[in-house]
Amino acid sequence: MGYAQLVIGPAGSGKSTYCSSLHQHCETTRRTIHIVNLDPAAENFDYPVAMDIRELISLDDVMEELGLGPNGGLMYCMEHLQENLDEWLTEELDNYLDDDYLVFDCPGQIELFSHVPVLKNFVEHLRRKNFNVCVVYLLDSQFITDVTKFISGCMTSLSAMVQLELPHVNILSKMDLVTNKKDVENYLDPEPQLLLAELNQRMAPQFQKLNKSLIEVVDQYSMVSFLPLDLRKERSIQYILSQIDNCIQYGEDADVKVKDFDPEEDD
């Protein structure tokens, strides 16, 4: 049984920084993970890349040869990945053991995890290869400045949850850069009725029924719970990793470690 994190979220939400910090934390705790780059436009990495989609296809080559723009070129690259799952990805996965832990650093285009089936097919391939997979959705905490932006982030995360059908952990990233923590703390575990009241104050009266429906969807899908990530604190990374490990049942089949004691000598 293999284990995997699929790290997704809007562009600039801190996905690569999260992967780098996670790798450093695991090195410190003597735990082995492998970071996989799935962004064909990536250039610089702060972590050792175990697998790299650019060995299969790169965005620069696609834009130059096909004359596509950045977004169209990236979609072409990901569709090319989808067509080569049985060849390139299978060959790469064969280099790892059955119990290895992989972290996939994904591109930030929202359509990849909202309505385009590329990542869904990617996940199904991992499942066929006997991987337990968890989605790690990152949302920039500095983006959460009012209720409208919070609801927008929740809806995007919910769209990914419905599309991918996987265990889901939501993270408010870049908490170490937030100057006023009180502005964000209200959204870590908010009260639905307070959200609705605040949303009605911001929106015109004709949107009250829509606002009520949105809050009910967020509440029913338990999407109002985000985990804060402060990269300055090791315990913050450790706590989030433990939540993800619990979702994918990592370590549950490990052998119990028994310490041997020397028999006591008779006096």
Side-chain angles (χ1 to χ4, degrees), residues 5 18 21-22 25-26 29 136 138 141 169-177 181 188 226-245:
Q5 294 183 29
Y18 162 79
S21 300
L22 185 63
H25 170 77
C26 289
T29 57
V136 180
L138 271 70
S141 59
V169 173
N170 298 299
I171 295 175
L172 276 184
S173 61
K174 304 183 182 180
M175 287 293 292
D176 49 310
L177 302 180
K181 294 289 196 300
L188 289 177
F226 281 79
L227 300 178
L229 174 60
D230 189 337
L231 295 179
R232 298 171 303 178
K233 302 175 181 178
E234 282 293 316
R235 65 178 181 272
S236 178
I237 303 175
Q238 184 177 3
Y239 178 74
I240 286 177
L241 182 57
S242 67
Q243 296 299 306
I244 298 170
D245 289 345

mmCIF file of all heavy atoms in Angstrom, residues 5 18 21-22 25-26 29 136 138 141 169-177 181 188 226-245:
data_model
loop_
_atom_site.group_PDB
_atom_site.id
_atom_site.type_symbol
_atom_site.label_atom_id
_atom_site.label_comp_id
_atom_site.label_asym_id
_atom_site.label_seq_id
_atom_site.Cartn_x
_atom_site.Cartn_y
_atom_site.Cartn_z
ATOM 1 N N GLN A 5 -0.129 12.472 -1.192
ATOM 2 C CA GLN A 5 -0.832 13.740 -1.042
ATOM 3 C C GLN A 5 -0.923 14.406 -2.399
ATOM 4 O O GLN A 5 0.064 14.459 -3.133
ATOM 5 C CB GLN A 5 -0.093 14.675 -0.089
ATOM 6 C CG GLN A 5 -0.005 14.241 1.345
ATOM 7 C CD GLN A 5 0.682 15.298 2.205
ATOM 8 O OE1 GLN A 5 0.632 16.496 1.917
ATOM 9 N NE2 GLN A 5 1.342 14.852 3.258
ATOM 10 N N TYR A 18 4.892 24.820 0.810
ATOM 11 C CA TYR A 18 4.395 23.776 1.714
ATOM 12 C C TYR A 18 5.153 22.476 1.487
ATOM 13 O O TYR A 18 5.578 21.814 2.449
ATOM 14 C CB TYR A 18 2.901 23.571 1.484
ATOM 15 C CG TYR A 18 2.369 22.265 2.033
ATOM 16 C CD1 TYR A 18 2.089 22.112 3.390
ATOM 17 C CD2 TYR A 18 2.145 21.186 1.186
ATOM 18 C CE1 TYR A 18 1.603 20.913 3.886
ATOM 19 C CE2 TYR A 18 1.655 19.983 1.674
ATOM 20 C CZ TYR A 18 1.388 19.849 3.025
ATOM 21 O OH TYR A 18 0.914 18.658 3.508
ATOM 22 N N SER A 21 8.706 22.788 2.903
ATOM 23 C CA SER A 21 8.712 22.753 4.371
ATOM 24 C C SER A 21 8.387 21.358 4.887
ATOM 25 O O SER A 21 8.961 20.904 5.883
ATOM 26 C CB SER A 21 7.707 23.764 4.920
ATOM 27 O OG SER A 21 8.029 25.074 4.505
ATOM 28 N N LEU A 22 7.475 20.676 4.205
ATOM 29 C CA LEU A 22 7.129 19.311 4.604
ATOM 30 C C LEU A 22 8.334 18.390 4.445
ATOM 31 O O LEU A 22 8.596 17.537 5.313
ATOM 32 C CB LEU A 22 5.961 18.817 3.756
ATOM 33 C CG LEU A 22 5.393 17.448 4.106
ATOM 34 C CD1 LEU A 22 4.815 17.452 5.515
ATOM 35 C CD2 LEU A 22 4.319 17.038 3.095
ATOM 36 N N HIS A 25 10.793 19.085 7.245
ATOM 37 C CA HIS A 25 10.294 18.540 8.508
ATOM 38 C C HIS A 25 10.511 17.032 8.572
ATOM 39 O O HIS A 25 10.940 16.502 9.600
ATOM 40 C CB HIS A 25 8.801 18.860 8.652
ATOM 41 C CG HIS A 25 8.132 18.162 9.794
ATOM 42 N ND1 HIS A 25 8.287 18.568 11.110
ATOM 43 C CD2 HIS A 25 7.317 17.074 9.820
ATOM 44 C CE1 HIS A 25 7.603 17.759 11.900
ATOM 45 N NE2 HIS A 25 6.997 16.845 11.149
ATOM 46 N N CYS A 26 10.220 16.347 7.476
ATOM 47 C CA CYS A 26 10.371 14.893 7.457
ATOM 48 C C CYS A 26 11.845 14.486 7.526
ATOM 49 O O CYS A 26 12.179 13.447 8.113
ATOM 50 C CB CYS A 26 9.706 14.309 6.210
ATOM 51 S SG CYS A 26 7.900 14.386 6.249
ATOM 52 N N THR A 29 12.763 14.680 11.176
ATOM 53 C CA THR A 29 12.177 13.590 11.972
ATOM 54 C C THR A 29 12.562 12.214 11.435
ATOM 55 O O THR A 29 12.012 11.203 11.878
ATOM 56 C CB THR A 29 10.645 13.719 11.987
ATOM 57 O OG1 THR A 29 10.135 13.718 10.642
ATOM 58 C CG2 THR A 29 10.226 15.015 12.672
ATOM 59 N N VAL A 136 -4.842 17.834 -0.433
ATOM 60 C CA VAL A 136 -4.469 18.920 0.474
ATOM 61 C C VAL A 136 -4.722 20.223 -0.278
ATOM 62 O O VAL A 136 -4.008 20.561 -1.221
ATOM 63 C CB VAL A 136 -2.988 18.809 0.893
ATOM 64 C CG1 VAL A 136 -2.626 19.952 1.839
ATOM 65 C CG2 VAL A 136 -2.718 17.468 1.548
ATOM 66 N N LEU A 138 -4.825 24.180 -0.408
ATOM 67 C CA LEU A 138 -4.257 25.351 0.251
ATOM 68 C C LEU A 138 -4.972 26.618 -0.200
ATOM 69 O O LEU A 138 -5.207 26.819 -1.393
ATOM 70 C CB LEU A 138 -2.763 25.486 -0.061
ATOM 71 C CG LEU A 138 -1.798 24.764 0.884
ATOM 72 C CD1 LEU A 138 -1.917 23.249 0.704
ATOM 73 C CD2 LEU A 138 -0.359 25.188 0.630
ATOM 74 N N SER A 141 -4.092 32.608 3.454
ATOM 75 C CA SER A 141 -4.776 33.270 4.564
ATOM 76 C C SER A 141 -4.852 34.772 4.369
ATOM 77 O O SER A 141 -5.771 35.422 4.883
ATOM 78 C CB SER A 141 -4.061 32.956 5.886
ATOM 79 O OG SER A 141 -2.708 33.379 5.833
ATOM 80 N N VAL A 169 -8.275 17.735 3.092
ATOM 81 C CA VAL A 169 -7.802 18.551 4.202
ATOM 82 C C VAL A 169 -7.588 19.966 3.690
ATOM 83 O O VAL A 169 -6.839 20.189 2.731
ATOM 84 C CB VAL A 169 -6.483 18.000 4.788
ATOM 85 C CG1 VAL A 169 -5.924 18.957 5.834
ATOM 86 C CG2 VAL A 169 -6.698 16.626 5.406
ATOM 87 N N ASN A 170 -8.282 20.934 4.310
ATOM 88 C CA ASN A 170 -8.178 22.333 3.911
ATOM 89 C C ASN A 170 -7.201 23.069 4.813
ATOM 90 O O ASN A 170 -7.260 22.940 6.042
ATOM 91 C CB ASN A 170 -9.546 23.012 3.987
ATOM 92 C CG ASN A 170 -10.546 22.378 3.053
ATOM 93 O OD1 ASN A 170 -10.363 22.359 1.849
ATOM 94 N ND2 ASN A 170 -11.612 21.836 3.624
ATOM 95 N N ILE A 171 -6.311 23.849 4.211
ATOM 96 C CA ILE A 171 -5.271 24.544 4.962
ATOM 97 C C ILE A 171 -5.291 26.025 4.616
ATOM 98 O O ILE A 171 -5.355 26.400 3.443
ATOM 99 C CB ILE A 171 -3.884 23.963 4.634
ATOM 100 C CG1 ILE A 171 -3.784 22.503 5.099
ATOM 101 C CG2 ILE A 171 -2.776 24.786 5.277
ATOM 102 C CD1 ILE A 171 -2.492 21.828 4.689
ATOM 103 N N LEU A 172 -5.237 26.859 5.655
ATOM 104 C CA LEU A 172 -4.990 28.284 5.466
ATOM 105 C C LEU A 172 -3.486 28.498 5.554
ATOM 106 O O LEU A 172 -2.898 28.405 6.635
ATOM 107 C CB LEU A 172 -5.709 29.107 6.537
ATOM 108 C CG LEU A 172 -7.174 29.460 6.293
ATOM 109 C CD1 LEU A 172 -7.697 30.360 7.403
ATOM 110 C CD2 LEU A 172 -7.380 30.115 4.945
ATOM 111 N N SER A 173 -2.865 28.737 4.416
ATOM 112 C CA SER A 173 -1.412 28.858 4.358
ATOM 113 C C SER A 173 -0.961 30.289 4.653
ATOM 114 O O SER A 173 -1.768 31.215 4.734
ATOM 115 C CB SER A 173 -0.910 28.433 2.974
ATOM 116 O OG SER A 173 -1.456 29.280 1.971
ATOM 117 N N LYS A 174 0.345 30.437 4.822
ATOM 118 C CA LYS A 174 0.991 31.742 5.038
ATOM 119 C C LYS A 174 0.503 32.449 6.298
ATOM 120 O O LYS A 174 0.459 33.690 6.342
ATOM 121 C CB LYS A 174 0.796 32.650 3.813
ATOM 122 C CG LYS A 174 1.294 32.052 2.499
ATOM 123 C CD LYS A 174 1.145 33.018 1.349
ATOM 124 C CE LYS A 174 1.603 32.398 0.041
ATOM 125 N NZ LYS A 174 1.469 33.329 -1.114
ATOM 126 N N MET A 175 0.150 31.678 7.312
ATOM 127 C CA MET A 175 -0.265 32.299 8.571
ATOM 128 C C MET A 175 0.878 33.075 9.222
ATOM 129 O O MET A 175 0.642 33.986 10.021
ATOM 130 C CB MET A 175 -0.785 31.227 9.530
ATOM 131 C CG MET A 175 -2.151 30.657 9.170
ATOM 132 S SD MET A 175 -3.485 31.862 9.316
ATOM 133 C CE MET A 175 -3.546 32.103 11.089
ATOM 134 N N ASP A 176 2.107 32.710 8.880
ATOM 135 C CA ASP A 176 3.251 33.426 9.431
ATOM 136 C C ASP A 176 3.383 34.830 8.853
ATOM 137 O O ASP A 176 4.123 35.662 9.396
ATOM 138 C CB ASP A 176 4.544 32.637 9.168
ATOM 139 C CG ASP A 176 4.662 32.190 7.714
ATOM 140 O OD1 ASP A 176 3.681 31.619 7.208
ATOM 141 O OD2 ASP A 176 5.717 32.408 7.101
ATOM 142 N N LEU A 177 2.665 35.126 7.764
ATOM 143 C CA LEU A 177 2.731 36.452 7.148
ATOM 144 C C LEU A 177 1.550 37.330 7.527
ATOM 145 O O LEU A 177 1.499 38.505 7.144
ATOM 146 C CB LEU A 177 2.786 36.318 5.613
ATOM 147 C CG LEU A 177 3.947 35.489 5.046
ATOM 148 C CD1 LEU A 177 3.856 35.446 3.526
ATOM 149 C CD2 LEU A 177 5.291 36.080 5.474
ATOM 150 N N LYS A 181 -3.893 38.551 13.330
ATOM 151 C CA LYS A 181 -4.422 37.196 13.383
ATOM 152 C C LYS A 181 -5.928 37.175 13.634
ATOM 153 O O LYS A 181 -6.628 36.250 13.228
ATOM 154 C CB LYS A 181 -3.711 36.396 14.490
ATOM 155 C CG LYS A 181 -2.225 36.137 14.234
ATOM 156 C CD LYS A 181 -2.023 35.129 13.131
ATOM 157 C CE LYS A 181 -0.614 34.564 13.120
ATOM 158 N NZ LYS A 181 0.432 35.553 12.942
ATOM 159 N N LEU A 188 -11.532 30.399 10.929
ATOM 160 C CA LEU A 188 -10.969 29.067 11.122
ATOM 161 C C LEU A 188 -12.057 28.060 11.497
ATOM 162 O O LEU A 188 -12.061 26.927 11.013
ATOM 163 C CB LEU A 188 -9.879 29.104 12.197
ATOM 164 C CG LEU A 188 -8.581 29.817 11.794
ATOM 165 C CD1 LEU A 188 -7.611 29.845 12.971
ATOM 166 C CD2 LEU A 188 -7.935 29.132 10.604
ATOM 167 N N PHE A 226 -10.919 25.025 8.561
ATOM 168 C CA PHE A 226 -9.603 25.119 7.936
ATOM 169 C C PHE A 226 -8.529 24.962 9.009
ATOM 170 O O PHE A 226 -8.701 25.410 10.147
ATOM 171 C CB PHE A 226 -9.418 26.470 7.235
ATOM 172 C CG PHE A 226 -10.081 26.566 5.893
ATOM 173 C CD1 PHE A 226 -11.442 26.797 5.798
ATOM 174 C CD2 PHE A 226 -9.347 26.438 4.729
ATOM 175 C CE1 PHE A 226 -12.061 26.891 4.570
ATOM 176 C CE2 PHE A 226 -9.954 26.529 3.488
ATOM 177 C CZ PHE A 226 -11.320 26.757 3.406
ATOM 178 N N LEU A 227 -7.426 24.336 8.627
ATOM 179 C CA LEU A 227 -6.291 24.201 9.532
ATOM 180 C C LEU A 227 -5.272 25.299 9.217
ATOM 181 O O LEU A 227 -4.859 25.446 8.069
ATOM 182 C CB LEU A 227 -5.627 22.831 9.359
ATOM 183 C CG LEU A 227 -6.503 21.607 9.618
ATOM 184 C CD1 LEU A 227 -5.714 20.332 9.347
ATOM 185 C CD2 LEU A 227 -7.030 21.607 11.033
ATOM 186 N N PRO A 228 -4.864 26.076 10.214
ATOM 187 C CA PRO A 228 -3.865 27.129 9.964
ATOM 188 C C PRO A 228 -2.468 26.537 9.851
ATOM 189 O O PRO A 228 -2.099 25.639 10.614
ATOM 190 C CB PRO A 228 -3.989 28.023 11.194
ATOM 191 C CG PRO A 228 -4.469 27.105 12.278
ATOM 192 C CD PRO A 228 -5.336 26.066 11.605
ATOM 193 N N LEU A 229 -1.688 27.041 8.909
ATOM 194 C CA LEU A 229 -0.319 26.570 8.718
ATOM 195 C C LEU A 229 0.645 27.733 8.907
ATOM 196 O O LEU A 229 0.654 28.687 8.122
ATOM 197 C CB LEU A 229 -0.139 25.981 7.314
ATOM 198 C CG LEU A 229 1.298 25.575 6.939
ATOM 199 C CD1 LEU A 229 1.831 24.511 7.900
ATOM 200 C CD2 LEU A 229 1.357 25.075 5.496
ATOM 201 N N ASP A 230 1.430 27.644 9.963
ATOM 202 C CA ASP A 230 2.474 28.624 10.254
ATOM 203 C C ASP A 230 3.817 27.928 10.094
ATOM 204 O O ASP A 230 4.194 27.095 10.928
ATOM 205 C CB ASP A 230 2.313 29.173 11.675
ATOM 206 C CG ASP A 230 3.241 30.349 11.956
ATOM 207 O OD1 ASP A 230 4.274 30.469 11.264
ATOM 208 O OD2 ASP A 230 2.940 31.147 12.865
ATOM 209 N N LEU A 231 4.530 28.236 9.030
ATOM 210 C CA LEU A 231 5.765 27.521 8.712
ATOM 211 C C LEU A 231 6.889 27.817 9.696
ATOM 212 O O LEU A 231 7.915 27.140 9.673
ATOM 213 C CB LEU A 231 6.211 27.874 7.285
ATOM 214 C CG LEU A 231 5.267 27.419 6.174
ATOM 215 C CD1 LEU A 231 5.798 27.850 4.809
ATOM 216 C CD2 LEU A 231 5.066 25.914 6.212
ATOM 217 N N ARG A 232 6.711 28.812 10.555
ATOM 218 C CA ARG A 232 7.733 29.093 11.566
ATOM 219 C C ARG A 232 7.681 28.096 12.719
ATOM 220 O O ARG A 232 8.630 28.004 13.504
ATOM 221 C CB ARG A 232 7.558 30.506 12.113
ATOM 222 C CG ARG A 232 7.709 31.621 11.087
ATOM 223 C CD ARG A 232 7.304 32.940 11.674
ATOM 224 N NE ARG A 232 5.922 32.904 12.180
ATOM 225 C CZ ARG A 232 5.324 33.938 12.781
ATOM 226 N NH1 ARG A 232 5.979 35.073 12.940
ATOM 227 N NH2 ARG A 232 4.076 33.829 13.207
ATOM 228 N N LYS A 233 6.557 27.376 12.815
ATOM 229 C CA LYS A 233 6.341 26.492 13.962
ATOM 230 C C LYS A 233 6.321 25.040 13.503
ATOM 231 O O LYS A 233 5.465 24.654 12.708
ATOM 232 C CB LYS A 233 5.026 26.849 14.659
ATOM 233 C CG LYS A 233 4.965 28.293 15.135
ATOM 234 C CD LYS A 233 3.598 28.617 15.718
ATOM 235 C CE LYS A 233 3.518 30.070 16.176
ATOM 236 N NZ LYS A 233 2.176 30.407 16.711
ATOM 237 N N GLU A 234 7.241 24.253 14.021
ATOM 238 C CA GLU A 234 7.311 22.839 13.666
ATOM 239 C C GLU A 234 6.046 22.096 14.084
ATOM 240 O O GLU A 234 5.584 21.206 13.388
ATOM 241 C CB GLU A 234 8.535 22.195 14.324
ATOM 242 C CG GLU A 234 9.847 22.483 13.626
ATOM 243 C CD GLU A 234 9.920 21.829 12.254
ATOM 244 O OE1 GLU A 234 9.531 20.653 12.125
ATOM 245 O OE2 GLU A 234 10.345 22.508 11.306
ATOM 246 N N ARG A 235 5.484 22.483 15.208
ATOM 247 C CA ARG A 235 4.285 21.781 15.681
ATOM 248 C C ARG A 235 3.094 22.017 14.755
ATOM 249 O O ARG A 235 2.185 21.179 14.682
ATOM 250 C CB ARG A 235 3.935 22.199 17.108
ATOM 251 C CG ARG A 235 3.528 23.651 17.282
ATOM 252 C CD ARG A 235 3.154 23.920 18.725
ATOM 253 N NE ARG A 235 2.720 25.299 18.946
ATOM 254 C CZ ARG A 235 3.521 26.304 19.227
ATOM 255 N NH1 ARG A 235 4.839 26.070 19.321
ATOM 256 N NH2 ARG A 235 3.057 27.526 19.415
ATOM 257 N N SER A 236 3.098 23.154 14.040
ATOM 258 C CA SER A 236 2.018 23.420 13.084
ATOM 259 C C SER A 236 2.107 22.460 11.907
ATOM 260 O O SER A 236 1.101 21.869 11.493
ATOM 261 C CB SER A 236 2.091 24.869 12.591
ATOM 262 O OG SER A 236 1.090 25.132 11.626
ATOM 263 N N ILE A 237 3.306 22.267 11.382
ATOM 264 C CA ILE A 237 3.502 21.330 10.279
ATOM 265 C C ILE A 237 3.223 19.903 10.753
ATOM 266 O O ILE A 237 2.586 19.112 10.045
ATOM 267 C CB ILE A 237 4.937 21.450 9.727
ATOM 268 C CG1 ILE A 237 5.221 22.878 9.277
ATOM 269 C CG2 ILE A 237 5.159 20.477 8.576
ATOM 270 C CD1 ILE A 237 6.652 23.106 8.828
ATOM 271 N N GLN A 238 3.698 19.581 11.936
ATOM 272 C CA GLN A 238 3.509 18.233 12.475
ATOM 273 C C GLN A 238 2.026 17.914 12.658
ATOM 274 O O GLN A 238 1.578 16.804 12.342
ATOM 275 C CB GLN A 238 4.246 18.102 13.807
ATOM 276 C CG GLN A 238 4.186 16.713 14.415
ATOM 277 C CD GLN A 238 4.988 16.622 15.701
ATOM 278 O OE1 GLN A 238 5.548 17.603 16.171
ATOM 279 N NE2 GLN A 238 5.052 15.432 16.273
ATOM 280 N N TYR A 239 1.263 18.879 13.145
ATOM 281 C CA TYR A 239 -0.167 18.646 13.359
ATOM 282 C C TYR A 239 -0.900 18.416 12.041
ATOM 283 O O TYR A 239 -1.713 17.492 11.922
ATOM 284 C CB TYR A 239 -0.789 19.830 14.094
ATOM 285 C CG TYR A 239 -2.281 19.684 14.306
ATOM 286 C CD1 TYR A 239 -2.784 18.803 15.259
ATOM 287 C CD2 TYR A 239 -3.181 20.419 13.532
ATOM 288 C CE1 TYR A 239 -4.153 18.658 15.443
ATOM 289 C CE2 TYR A 239 -4.550 20.279 13.713
ATOM 290 C CZ TYR A 239 -5.024 19.407 14.671
ATOM 291 O OH TYR A 239 -6.378 19.256 14.839
ATOM 292 N N ILE A 240 -0.594 19.236 11.038
ATOM 293 C CA ILE A 240 -1.246 19.082 9.738
ATOM 294 C C ILE A 240 -0.875 17.746 9.111
ATOM 295 O O ILE A 240 -1.719 17.045 8.547
ATOM 296 C CB ILE A 240 -0.870 20.257 8.819
ATOM 297 C CG1 ILE A 240 -1.621 21.512 9.256
ATOM 298 C CG2 ILE A 240 -1.158 19.941 7.354
ATOM 299 C CD1 ILE A 240 -1.292 22.752 8.487
ATOM 300 N N LEU A 241 0.394 17.365 9.215
ATOM 301 C CA LEU A 241 0.823 16.079 8.659
ATOM 302 C C LEU A 241 0.117 14.924 9.360
ATOM 303 O O LEU A 241 -0.273 13.945 8.713
ATOM 304 C CB LEU A 241 2.338 15.938 8.792
ATOM 305 C CG LEU A 241 2.956 14.659 8.205
ATOM 306 C CD1 LEU A 241 2.630 14.516 6.719
ATOM 307 C CD2 LEU A 241 4.462 14.644 8.423
ATOM 308 N N SER A 242 -0.093 15.048 10.656
ATOM 309 C CA SER A 242 -0.789 13.975 11.384
ATOM 310 C C SER A 242 -2.240 13.862 10.928
ATOM 311 O O SER A 242 -2.788 12.756 10.851
ATOM 312 C CB SER A 242 -0.728 14.233 12.891
ATOM 313 O OG SER A 242 -1.483 15.378 13.253
ATOM 314 N N GLN A 243 -2.875 14.987 10.625
ATOM 315 C CA GLN A 243 -4.255 14.957 10.133
ATOM 316 C C GLN A 243 -4.330 14.282 8.762
ATOM 317 O O GLN A 243 -5.244 13.495 8.485
ATOM 318 C CB GLN A 243 -4.811 16.385 10.042
ATOM 319 C CG GLN A 243 -4.934 17.094 11.378
ATOM 320 C CD GLN A 243 -5.882 16.386 12.334
ATOM 321 O OE1 GLN A 243 -7.027 16.122 12.007
ATOM 322 N NE2 GLN A 243 -5.404 16.080 13.524
ATOM 323 N N ILE A 244 -3.366 14.583 7.906
ATOM 324 C CA ILE A 244 -3.328 13.975 6.574
ATOM 325 C C ILE A 244 -3.041 12.479 6.684
ATOM 326 O O ILE A 244 -3.674 11.652 6.011
ATOM 327 C CB ILE A 244 -2.281 14.669 5.691
ATOM 328 C CG1 ILE A 244 -2.653 16.145 5.493
ATOM 329 C CG2 ILE A 244 -2.138 13.969 4.343
ATOM 330 C CD1 ILE A 244 -1.565 16.966 4.841
ATOM 331 N N ASP A 245 -2.087 12.121 7.544
ATOM 332 C CA ASP A 245 -1.756 10.706 7.739
ATOM 333 C C ASP A 245 -2.971 9.923 8.215
ATOM 334 O O ASP A 245 -3.185 8.772 7.809
ATOM 335 C CB ASP A 245 -0.622 10.569 8.761
ATOM 336 C CG ASP A 245 0.711 11.036 8.212
ATOM 337 O OD1 ASP A 245 0.827 11.195 6.981
ATOM 338 O OD2 ASP A 245 1.632 11.248 9.013
#
